[in-house]
Amino acid sequence: MTTGRADAGSLHDALVERLGSAIVRGDLAAGSRLITAELSTGSSRGAGREAVRVLQSLGLVRVRRKTGVEVLPATEWNVYAPEIIAWRLAGPGRDAQLHELSALRGAIEPLAARAAAASATDAQRRELVAAVMEMARTERDADGAEYLAADVRFHRTLLAASGNAMFAALGSVVESVLVGRTLHDLMPHDANPHAVRWHQDVAFAVTAGRADEAAHAMGLIVREAGEAMASVTAAE
Protein backbone atom coordinates (compact mmCIF):
# COMPACT_ATOMS: atom_id res chain seq x y z
CA MET A 1 0.00 0.00 0.00
CA THR A 2 1.37 3.43 -0.92
CA THR A 3 1.88 5.71 2.05
CA GLY A 4 0.92 9.36 2.27
CA ARG A 5 4.59 10.24 2.54
CA ALA A 6 5.37 8.37 -0.69
CA ASP A 7 2.45 10.11 -2.42
CA ALA A 8 3.73 13.50 -1.28
CA GLY A 9 7.23 12.64 -2.47
CA SER A 10 6.03 11.55 -5.91
CA LEU A 11 3.89 14.69 -6.26
CA HIS A 12 6.83 16.84 -5.22
CA ASP A 13 9.17 15.12 -7.69
CA ALA A 14 6.66 15.46 -10.52
CA LEU A 15 6.18 19.15 -9.76
CA VAL A 16 9.93 19.80 -9.67
CA GLU A 17 10.32 17.97 -12.98
CA ARG A 18 7.46 19.85 -14.64
CA LEU A 19 8.45 23.32 -13.49
CA GLY A 20 12.20 22.86 -13.70
CA SER A 21 12.13 21.55 -17.25
CA ALA A 22 9.70 24.31 -18.27
CA ILE A 23 12.05 26.98 -16.90
CA VAL A 24 15.13 25.49 -18.55
CA ARG A 25 13.30 25.08 -21.87
CA GLY A 26 12.25 28.72 -21.72
CA ASP A 27 8.53 27.99 -21.47
CA LEU A 28 8.56 29.97 -18.23
CA ALA A 29 10.61 33.05 -19.05
CA ALA A 30 12.93 34.86 -16.65
CA GLY A 31 10.96 37.41 -14.68
CA SER A 32 7.75 35.38 -14.80
CA ARG A 33 5.80 35.18 -11.58
CA LEU A 34 4.47 31.90 -10.25
CA ILE A 35 1.79 32.01 -7.61
CA THR A 36 2.45 29.45 -4.88
CA ALA A 37 -1.22 28.53 -4.56
CA GLU A 38 -1.42 27.84 -8.30
CA LEU A 39 1.66 25.61 -8.13
CA SER A 40 -0.21 23.34 -5.76
CA THR A 41 -3.03 22.68 -8.23
CA GLY A 42 -3.32 18.92 -8.54
CA SER A 43 -0.99 18.35 -5.60
CA SER A 44 -0.73 19.17 -1.92
CA ARG A 45 0.36 22.57 -0.67
CA GLY A 46 3.25 20.84 1.10
CA ALA A 47 4.45 19.33 -2.18
CA GLY A 48 4.22 22.75 -3.83
CA ARG A 49 6.25 24.43 -1.11
CA GLU A 50 8.87 21.68 -1.17
CA ALA A 51 9.12 21.89 -4.97
CA VAL A 52 9.72 25.63 -4.73
CA ARG A 53 12.51 25.02 -2.19
CA VAL A 54 14.21 22.59 -4.57
CA LEU A 55 13.88 24.97 -7.52
CA GLN A 56 15.28 27.76 -5.35
CA SER A 57 18.28 25.61 -4.39
CA LEU A 58 18.93 25.09 -8.11
CA GLY A 59 18.91 28.84 -8.74
CA LEU A 60 15.85 28.62 -10.96
CA VAL A 61 13.52 30.74 -8.86
CA ARG A 62 13.51 33.33 -6.10
CA VAL A 63 10.73 33.69 -3.54
CA ARG A 64 9.50 37.24 -3.02
CA ARG A 65 7.11 38.15 -0.25
CA LYS A 66 3.60 39.00 -1.46
CA THR A 67 4.51 38.72 -5.15
CA GLY A 68 5.04 34.98 -5.34
CA VAL A 69 7.84 33.05 -6.97
CA GLU A 70 10.02 34.75 -9.59
CA VAL A 71 11.71 32.80 -12.37
CA LEU A 72 15.41 33.66 -12.57
CA PRO A 73 17.60 34.05 -15.68
CA ALA A 74 20.05 31.36 -16.76
CA THR A 75 22.95 33.35 -15.28
CA GLU A 76 21.60 32.44 -11.83
CA TRP A 77 21.18 28.70 -12.42
CA ASN A 78 23.36 26.11 -10.70
CA VAL A 79 24.60 24.75 -14.01
CA TYR A 80 26.56 21.96 -12.30
CA ALA A 81 23.39 20.44 -10.81
CA PRO A 82 22.61 17.08 -12.46
CA GLU A 83 18.94 18.06 -12.74
CA ILE A 84 19.71 21.17 -14.77
CA ILE A 85 22.18 19.30 -16.96
CA ALA A 86 19.52 16.67 -17.66
CA TRP A 87 16.87 19.29 -18.48
CA ARG A 88 19.24 21.17 -20.79
CA LEU A 89 20.18 17.95 -22.58
CA ALA A 90 16.49 17.17 -23.08
CA GLY A 91 15.62 20.62 -24.40
CA PRO A 92 16.50 23.04 -27.20
CA GLY A 93 19.73 24.01 -25.43
CA ARG A 94 21.24 20.56 -25.87
CA ASP A 95 23.94 21.54 -28.37
CA ALA A 96 25.18 24.39 -26.17
CA GLN A 97 25.12 22.12 -23.12
CA LEU A 98 27.13 19.42 -24.88
CA HIS A 99 29.69 21.99 -26.04
CA GLU A 100 30.07 23.43 -22.55
CA LEU A 101 30.34 20.02 -20.92
CA SER A 102 32.92 18.83 -23.45
CA ALA A 103 35.00 21.96 -22.82
CA LEU A 104 34.78 21.42 -19.06
CA ARG A 105 35.80 17.79 -19.33
CA GLY A 106 38.64 18.66 -21.69
CA ALA A 107 40.03 21.09 -19.14
CA ILE A 108 39.55 18.96 -16.03
CA GLU A 109 39.80 15.24 -16.79
CA PRO A 110 43.32 15.19 -18.29
CA LEU A 111 44.52 17.11 -15.22
CA ALA A 112 42.72 14.62 -12.99
CA ALA A 113 44.34 11.70 -14.84
CA ARG A 114 47.77 13.26 -14.42
CA ALA A 115 47.19 13.79 -10.70
CA ALA A 116 45.75 10.29 -10.27
CA ALA A 117 48.99 8.77 -11.55
CA ALA A 118 50.64 10.16 -8.43
CA SER A 119 47.78 10.10 -5.93
CA ALA A 120 45.61 7.05 -6.64
CA THR A 121 45.35 4.46 -3.90
CA ASP A 122 45.86 0.77 -4.64
CA ALA A 123 42.12 0.25 -4.32
CA GLN A 124 41.40 3.03 -6.83
CA ARG A 125 43.93 1.60 -9.28
CA ARG A 126 42.21 -1.79 -9.06
CA GLU A 127 38.84 -0.13 -9.50
CA LEU A 128 39.98 1.66 -12.67
CA VAL A 129 41.32 -1.56 -14.18
CA ALA A 130 38.14 -3.47 -13.24
CA ALA A 131 36.00 -0.76 -14.84
CA VAL A 132 37.87 -0.80 -18.15
CA MET A 133 37.76 -4.60 -18.25
CA GLU A 134 33.99 -4.39 -17.87
CA MET A 135 33.84 -1.77 -20.63
CA ALA A 136 35.81 -4.06 -22.92
CA ARG A 137 33.48 -6.96 -22.10
CA THR A 138 30.37 -4.97 -22.99
CA GLU A 139 31.71 -2.79 -25.83
CA ARG A 140 29.35 -4.46 -28.34
CA ASP A 141 26.45 -3.14 -26.27
CA ALA A 142 27.84 0.31 -25.53
CA ASP A 143 24.41 1.93 -25.38
CA GLY A 144 23.33 -0.55 -22.70
CA ALA A 145 23.16 -0.28 -18.93
CA GLU A 146 26.23 -2.40 -18.13
CA TYR A 147 28.60 -0.43 -20.34
CA LEU A 148 27.22 2.85 -19.01
CA ALA A 149 27.66 1.72 -15.40
CA ALA A 150 31.27 0.73 -16.05
CA ASP A 151 31.98 3.99 -17.86
CA VAL A 152 30.52 6.03 -15.00
CA ARG A 153 32.49 3.95 -12.49
CA PHE A 154 35.71 4.62 -14.41
CA HIS A 155 35.31 8.39 -14.60
CA ARG A 156 34.06 8.85 -11.05
CA THR A 157 36.96 6.76 -9.74
CA LEU A 158 39.47 8.70 -11.80
CA LEU A 159 38.25 12.07 -10.54
CA ALA A 160 38.33 10.84 -6.94
CA ALA A 161 41.77 9.29 -7.46
CA SER A 162 43.18 12.70 -8.38
CA GLY A 163 43.25 13.53 -4.68
CA ASN A 164 41.66 16.89 -5.54
CA ALA A 165 38.30 17.34 -3.80
CA MET A 166 37.23 19.94 -6.39
CA PHE A 167 37.80 17.48 -9.22
CA ALA A 168 36.07 14.69 -7.29
CA ALA A 169 33.02 16.91 -6.77
CA LEU A 170 32.56 17.02 -10.56
CA GLY A 171 31.83 13.30 -10.61
CA SER A 172 28.07 13.86 -10.75
CA VAL A 173 28.53 16.31 -13.64
CA VAL A 174 30.50 13.82 -15.71
CA GLU A 175 28.02 11.08 -14.80
CA SER A 176 25.19 13.31 -16.08
CA VAL A 177 27.02 13.69 -19.39
CA LEU A 178 27.50 9.95 -19.77
CA VAL A 179 23.92 9.15 -18.77
CA GLY A 180 22.59 11.87 -21.09
CA ARG A 181 24.64 10.56 -23.99
CA THR A 182 22.99 7.14 -23.64
CA LEU A 183 19.52 8.47 -22.80
CA HIS A 184 19.40 10.74 -25.86
CA ASP A 185 20.74 8.14 -28.33
CA LEU A 186 24.12 9.85 -28.74
CA MET A 187 26.03 6.67 -27.90
CA PRO A 188 26.69 4.07 -30.64
CA HIS A 189 25.65 0.48 -30.06
CA ASP A 190 29.24 -0.64 -30.72
CA ALA A 191 31.77 1.43 -28.82
CA ASN A 192 34.58 3.11 -30.71
CA PRO A 193 37.41 0.58 -30.21
CA HIS A 194 39.93 3.41 -29.97
CA ALA A 195 37.96 4.97 -27.11
CA VAL A 196 37.86 1.66 -25.23
CA ARG A 197 41.61 1.25 -25.69
CA TRP A 198 42.25 4.81 -24.50
CA HIS A 199 40.29 4.07 -21.32
CA GLN A 200 42.53 1.06 -20.80
CA ASP A 201 45.60 3.21 -21.50
CA VAL A 202 44.52 5.67 -18.80
CA ALA A 203 43.92 2.90 -16.26
CA PHE A 204 47.26 1.22 -16.89
CA ALA A 205 49.16 4.52 -17.00
CA VAL A 206 47.65 5.57 -13.66
CA THR A 207 48.48 2.16 -12.21
CA ALA A 208 52.08 2.48 -13.39
CA GLY A 209 52.41 6.12 -12.30
CA ARG A 210 52.94 7.43 -15.83
CA ALA A 211 51.35 10.86 -15.54
CA ASP A 212 51.98 12.18 -19.07
CA GLU A 213 50.56 9.07 -20.69
CA ALA A 214 47.49 9.14 -18.47
CA ALA A 215 46.78 12.79 -19.28
CA HIS A 216 47.32 12.27 -23.01
CA ALA A 217 45.00 9.28 -23.25
CA MET A 218 42.33 11.06 -21.23
CA GLY A 219 42.51 14.02 -23.57
CA LEU A 220 41.88 11.67 -26.50
CA ILE A 221 38.86 10.16 -24.73
CA VAL A 222 37.22 13.51 -24.07
CA ARG A 223 37.88 14.80 -27.58
CA GLU A 224 36.47 11.66 -29.20
CA ALA A 225 33.32 11.80 -27.05
CA GLY A 226 32.73 15.45 -27.89
CA GLU A 227 33.26 14.93 -31.62
CA ALA A 228 31.05 11.83 -31.69
CA MET A 229 28.14 13.61 -29.98
CA ALA A 230 28.56 16.67 -32.18
CA SER A 231 28.41 14.54 -35.33
CA VAL A 232 25.16 12.91 -34.20
CA THR A 233 23.48 16.20 -33.33
CA ALA A 234 24.65 17.73 -36.63
CA ALA A 235 23.12 14.83 -38.54
CA GLU A 236 19.83 15.37 -36.73
Side-chain angles (χ1 to χ4, degrees):
M1 183 181 210
T2 303
T3 66
R5 183 180 295 273
D7 288 340
S10 60
L11 287 170
H12 148 258
D13 291 342
L15 198 51
V16 169
E17 179 67 27
R18 177 168 64 82
L19 294 173
S21 60
I23 292 170
V24 171
R25 284 196 311 268
D27 296 343
L28 294 173
S32 300
R33 291 286 198 276
L34 308 176
I35 307 303
T36 307
E38 294 176 357
L39 297 182
S40 301
T41 301
S43 63
S44 69
R45 285 185 176 273
R49 286 193 298 270
E50 183 57 31
V52 168
R53 280 194 287 269
V54 173
L55 296 173
Q56 193 171 16
S57 74
L58 296 173
L60 295 176
V61 302
R62 174 169 50 212
V63 179
R64 290 186 176 277
R65 291 187 63 187
K66 299 182 179 179
T67 60
V69 181
E70 178 188 3
V71 176
L72 295 178
T75 52
E76 300 297 324
W77 299 351
N78 176 5
V79 293
Y80 292 107
E83 298 92 338
I84 290 181
I85 292 173
W87 290 327
R88 291 185 71 192
L89 288 174
R94 186 175 71 177
D95 288 352
Q97 174 72 114
L98 289 173
H99 176 74
E100 291 170 8
L101 290 169
S102 293
L104 176 67
R105 293 185 65 192
I108 298 301
E109 289 198 85
L111 292 177
R114 181 182 298 279
S119 301
T121 65
D122 289 342
Q124 288 168 332
R125 293 188 179 101
R126 290 193 295 271
E127 186 75 358
L128 286 172
V129 172
V132 296
M133 292 299 99
E134 182 67 6
M135 291 176 70
R137 185 185 72 80
T138 57
E139 65 180 311
R140 297 295 185 185
D141 188 27
D143 54 354
E146 290 182 308
Y147 185 93
L148 174 61
D151 201 8
V152 168
R153 179 180 167 196
F154 172 87
H155 288 277
R156 275 193 170 275
T157 300
L158 182 78
L159 289 166
S162 70
N164 184 317
M166 300 295 285
F167 290 172
L170 292 174
S172 60
V173 173
V174 174
E175 179 173 352
S176 295
V177 180
L178 300 175
V179 170
R181 185 180 183 187
T182 297
L183 183 64
H184 297 291
D185 299 321
L186 300 174
M187 186 71 186
H189 182 69
D190 292 331
N192 183 329
H194 298 296
V196 175
R197 190 187 74 244
W198 293 330
H199 280 80
Q200 294 171 349
D201 289 346
V202 171
F204 295 137
V206 168
T207 298
R210 297 193 296 267
D212 289 344
E213 292 179 27
H216 176 69
M218 180 53 68
L220 294 175
I221 291 170
V222 175
R223 186 168 66 202
E224 184 277 335
E227 291 174 351
M229 288 188 289
S231 67
V232 173
T233 56
E236 291 175 350

